[in-house]
Amino acid sequence: MNVPAEQLKPSVIEVENLVTYYGDQQVLDNVSLDVAEGEIMVIMGGSGSGKSTLLRYLLGLHRPDAGVIRLFGKDINHLSSREWMNLRKKMGVSFQGGALFNSMTVGENVCMPLREHTSLDTNTIRIMSRMKLEVVNLAGFEQLMPSQLSGGMLKRAALARALIMDPSLLFFDEPSAGLDPVVAADLDNLILKIRDAMQVSIVVVTHELESAFKIADRITVLDKGRILMTGRVDEVRNSDIPRVRNLLSRTSEEQIIDTDEYLRRLTDVTD
């Protein structure tokens, strides 16, 4: 029996029965998944599916109401501030809008994590930042301001900053959002190149189907805070789960309106 390659490698992310709320509204419902070393896991779903919320919890920005999240085998709910800081040095994040500081040059933005978290000398930091800009095809652009960059260049500059500490785990939030198809395809190729060259594990949150199918080793499909399925690209493409099929074909789901329930909601008055 052939065992999928990702099951033979240790997990860098393990999520077990994650439950989260915003106020009284449940956002994630019993979510469980794992990401193997060197794997690209794409988390996809429609608007409001919970994929961005899941990313925030994986980054430790919120505490789960129930369930366990382990990064590199460590339960993040039981880490001290110092342990969390050391763990985060092994992680890089490329945010959707780039999140570069507008008052700093591209080079200064890329250098910042090294200046904050290492005691390296200025010249070494400058060389390392230029190396990462080379990786993302932005050599020679370190003196430009973020406002002088195109959308695709902003994404690549943000990626250079995410890579500057040589992370073992890299997160992308909607990397192709707002990009034209050619630029988006170039960024997809860059993600694959970085995974292969650096042997980094990657989690990508996206709603872009073409990008997801191109870069993913496995895909987790979320809908209304629940996992519909996790599988390899061909398994997702050939899924017979109705909600997955609707997502792939971009077919809307018509809701059957209960007239009595609708009138009750309109006329209900609560103190």
Side-chain angles (χ1 to χ4, degrees):
M1 176 174 136
N2 293 325
V3 180
E6 66 271 4
Q7 295 181 12
L8 300 176
K9 298 180 179 179
S11 295
V12 294
I13 297 177
E14 299 167 276
V15 180
E16 297 177 1
N17 306 315
L18 177 63
V19 176
T20 69
Y21 289 85
Y22 286 159
D24 295 329
Q25 181 70 40
Q26 187 172 18
V27 181
L28 295 177
D29 183 5
N30 208 39
V31 168
S32 296
L33 62 87
D34 67 279
V35 179
E37 186 178 284
E39 178 182 25
I40 298 179
M41 170 66 80
V42 170
I43 300 171
M44 61 182 295
S47 178
S49 62
K51 58 186 186 298
S52 294
T53 298
L54 176 56
L55 177 61
R56 287 194 288 271
Y57 279 86
L58 293 177
L59 293 173
L61 301 179
H62 303 291
R63 297 275 184 170
D65 295 285
V68 176
I69 300 174
R70 297 188 191 90
L71 301 179
F72 305 103
K74 297 180 179 180
D75 185 340
I76 65 174
N77 278 338
H78 296 93
L79 296 179
S80 66
S81 297
R82 181 178 294 275
E83 288 172 328
W84 236 129
M85 181 61 70
N86 289 333
L87 193 65
R88 280 181 168 145
K89 291 178 183 178
K90 300 171 67 175
M91 300 158 52
V93 187
S94 182
F95 295 99
Q96 179 175 342
L100 299 181
F101 293 98
N102 291 327
S103 60
M104 301 168 64
T105 67
V106 169
E108 289 169 340
N109 269 282
V110 175
C111 284
M112 190 180 65
L114 290 177
R115 296 190 188 281
E116 291 289 325
H117 300 297
T118 74
S119 57
L120 295 171
D121 63 86
T122 300
N123 194 47
T124 300
I125 289 175
R126 185 181 299 113
I127 291 171
M128 292 180 67
S129 69
R130 287 176 178 173
M131 289 172 63
K132 290 303 188 290
L133 286 169
E134 288 268 5
V135 170
V136 301
N137 302 318
L138 283 179
F141 290 87
E142 62 264 25
Q143 296 303 319
L144 293 185
M145 303 300 289
S147 61
Q148 296 175 292
L149 302 182
S150 67
M153 293 169 72
L154 274 172
K155 300 268 190 180
R156 285 185 279 139
L159 176 54
R161 185 178 62 184
L163 293 172
I164 195 64
M165 298 282 287
D166 292 325
S168 301
L169 179 58
L170 188 58
F171 294 92
F172 286 89
D173 183 16
E174 298 284 3
S176 301
L179 302 180
D180 68 58
V182 174
V183 175
D186 287 342
L187 187 56
D188 289 339
N189 290 333
L190 183 57
I191 291 172
L192 291 169
K193 172 185 171 183
I194 287 169
R195 190 276 303 273
D196 294 339
M198 300 181 65
Q199 294 299 300
V200 61
S201 307
I202 298 177
V203 175
V204 179
V205 169
T206 186
H207 67 277
E208 300 285 348
L209 295 177
E210 186 173 351
S211 177
F213 289 151
K214 181 175 181 178
I215 67 176
D217 292 308
R218 287 190 299 156
I219 297 174
T220 291
V221 184
L222 276 176
D223 180 67
K224 298 177 181 178
R226 297 183 179 183
I227 291 181
L228 296 180
M229 71 173 297
T230 296
R232 303 185 72 80
V233 171
D234 58 341
E235 294 171 332
V236 173
R237 282 184 185 274
N238 298 319
S239 172
D240 57 3
I241 300 173
R243 286 187 182 273
V244 175
R245 299 305 312 162
N246 288 340
L247 178 65
L248 299 187
S249 62
R250 298 181 178 178
T251 303
S252 64
E253 294 181 340
E254 295 185 4
Q255 296 183 347
I256 299 175
I257 298 177
D258 183 323
T259 306
D260 292 336
E261 173 63 17
Y262 177 66
L263 290 175
R264 186 196 65 75
R265 291 202 311 271
L266 291 179
T267 58
D268 185 34
V269 177
T270 57
D271 295 331

